[in-house]
Amino acid sequence: MQAYIVRRLLQGIGVLIVMSFIIYGLLGLMPGDPIDLMIQADPNLTSADIARLKALYGLDRPILERYANWASAALSGDFGYSRQFSRPVLEVLVPRLGNTLLLMGASFVLAIAIALPLGVLAASRPGSLADRIVNLFCFAGISVPPFWLALLLIMLFAVTLGWLPAGGAAPAGMENPGLADRLPYLVLPVITLTLASLAGLTRYLRASLIEAMREDYIRTARAKGAGEARVLWRHGVRNALIPVVTILALDFGTLFSGALITETMFAQPGMGKLIYDAIMNNDYNLALVGLLFATLVTLLANLAADIGYAKLDPRISYA
């Protein structure tokens, strides 16, 4: 297992290098650059000023040379400056990363904690009233768009009842807010993200568990006299979680960088909103590093899923 993890980490480094080149090239092909934005802001700039600025920022060089310069600086820990915030990229990225981890972690854990008992309840009694209610709930959760759910929650709990704030990450003007201060601002976005992933997880777990309970080893366990609860949780659920782990890994990467709609609706300063704003504002360095962070998280989540396979099923070996 250790050798396998080392190989996967080395492969991940290679993927990050390739992705950094692809992302850098795609961002370089985008129309406009920071100098063009400067020209729009100051029409008094002359052609000589434009040429001098392009030479200063290296925009007059071939894209391969520009990428090589950026990569060599990145290896020494210098990821460049954010044009949008006029600060080093990491100084902008790290606080947003913390906000996303808090929001994503809470919704991810909550979705798993609710999906597991619901999926087991539905799969243990297929066709029953409980199964139909869980399926109805899942179909509703899959069908409701996140932005519409966010609007409903804002209208109910923020506008009508006034129990929770409609948006933001912390009380206005408060420096270094603690978790208790931020908690009311996390409730609505966490509920939105949880419901967005809960329905799919429950459906996958239900289908996987129903299939697992029809296997021969389940019949063998019952023939040996094992209780139904032990058969269900020790043999059925454990094997049913193997395909679900893949969905969890994909959801983890998606929540990290793809919660753009939720972050926008609730004015949450997270990674999804940051990457979107950086791309729209031609902030090349910030967009590049943000997308690479999202790639890294997705690779690590997939590695964790592969390790989880071996822990759940001893028959799986990476020798």
Side-chain angles (χ1 to χ4, degrees):
M1 177 63 74
Q2 293 179 352
Y4 173 76
I5 294 175
V6 171
R7 287 199 305 270
R8 285 292 300 272
L9 291 176
L10 292 176
Q11 292 173 5
I13 293 174
V15 171
L16 285 177
I17 293 174
V18 173
M19 286 299 299
S20 68
F21 177 74
I22 293 174
I23 296 172
Y24 194 96
L26 291 176
L27 291 174
L29 294 175
M30 289 175 58
D33 56 41
I35 307 304
D36 295 330
L37 297 178
M38 292 180 185
I39 296 172
Q40 297 176 6
D42 186 1
N44 295 323
L45 287 174
T46 64
S47 299
D49 294 331
I50 296 171
R52 180 175 56 82
L53 288 173
K54 286 185 178 290
L56 177 65
Y57 287 98
L59 297 176
D60 59 338
R61 302 174 185 173
I63 191 168
L64 289 177
E65 183 179 350
R66 286 154 50 191
Y67 171 76
N69 292 335
W70 176 87
S72 61
L75 289 176
S76 62
D78 181 12
F79 293 94
Y81 274 76
S82 166
R83 186 198 63 81
Q84 186 179 356
F85 295 93
S86 299
R87 293 163 55 194
V89 165
L90 292 183
E91 289 186 11
V92 179
L93 203 64
V94 171
R96 300 294 185 96
L97 180 61
N99 292 335
T100 294
L101 288 176
L102 182 60
L103 179 64
M104 174 197 65
S107 60
F108 191 75
V109 172
L110 192 58
I112 296 174
I114 299 175
L116 183 60
L118 285 182
V120 172
L121 175 63
S124 60
R125 300 178 180 86
S128 65
L129 178 61
D131 184 28
R132 294 176 184 176
I133 294 175
V134 171
N135 280 327
L136 180 62
F137 169 75
C138 292
F139 287 139
I142 294 172
S143 303
V144 173
F147 74 88
W148 188 71
L149 177 61
L151 284 175
L152 289 181
L153 294 176
I154 290 173
M155 291 178 62
L156 177 60
F157 293 102
V159 178
T160 303
L161 299 176
W163 292 351
L164 296 168
M174 178 177 291
E175 296 183 1
N176 301 321
L179 181 59
D181 300 318
R182 300 182 59 181
L183 189 59
Y185 296 85
L186 289 172
V187 174
L188 294 183
V190 166
I191 291 175
T192 303
L193 286 176
T194 300
L195 293 178
S197 57
L198 172 62
L201 288 177
T202 304
R203 289 287 298 169
Y204 277 112
L205 180 59
R206 175 189 177 274
S208 180
L209 183 55
I210 289 176
E211 182 179 355
M213 294 299 289
R214 296 171 180 168
E215 296 293 336
D216 292 338
Y217 55 80
I218 297 294
R219 185 164 51 251
T220 302
R222 285 172 175 160
K224 289 181 177 180
E228 192 61 28
R230 179 180 176 86
V231 171
L232 177 64
W233 289 98
R234 182 66 180 270
H235 300 283
V237 173
R238 182 171 181 174
N239 287 279
L241 285 176
I242 295 175
V244 177
V245 166
T246 303
I247 307 302
L248 291 174
L250 294 176
D251 273 357
F252 193 85
T254 302
L255 284 176
F256 181 83
S257 61
L260 171 62
I261 295 176
T262 304
E263 291 175 358
T264 302
M265 295 298 297
F266 293 102
Q268 286 284 328
M271 288 292 296
K273 185 73 164 57
L274 180 68
I275 293 173
Y276 174 79
D277 290 340
I279 293 174
M280 296 304 294
N281 289 282
N282 287 45
D283 195 344
Y284 293 161
N285 289 332
L286 187 57
L288 175 58
V289 177
L291 290 170
L292 285 179
F293 258 101
T295 304
L296 175 62
V297 170
T298 303
L299 291 173
L300 293 177
N302 283 299
L303 175 59
D306 288 342
I307 296 174
Y309 297 152
K311 297 297 183 181
L312 290 171
D313 190 348
R315 297 172 300 177
I316 297 176
S317 175
Y318 296 115

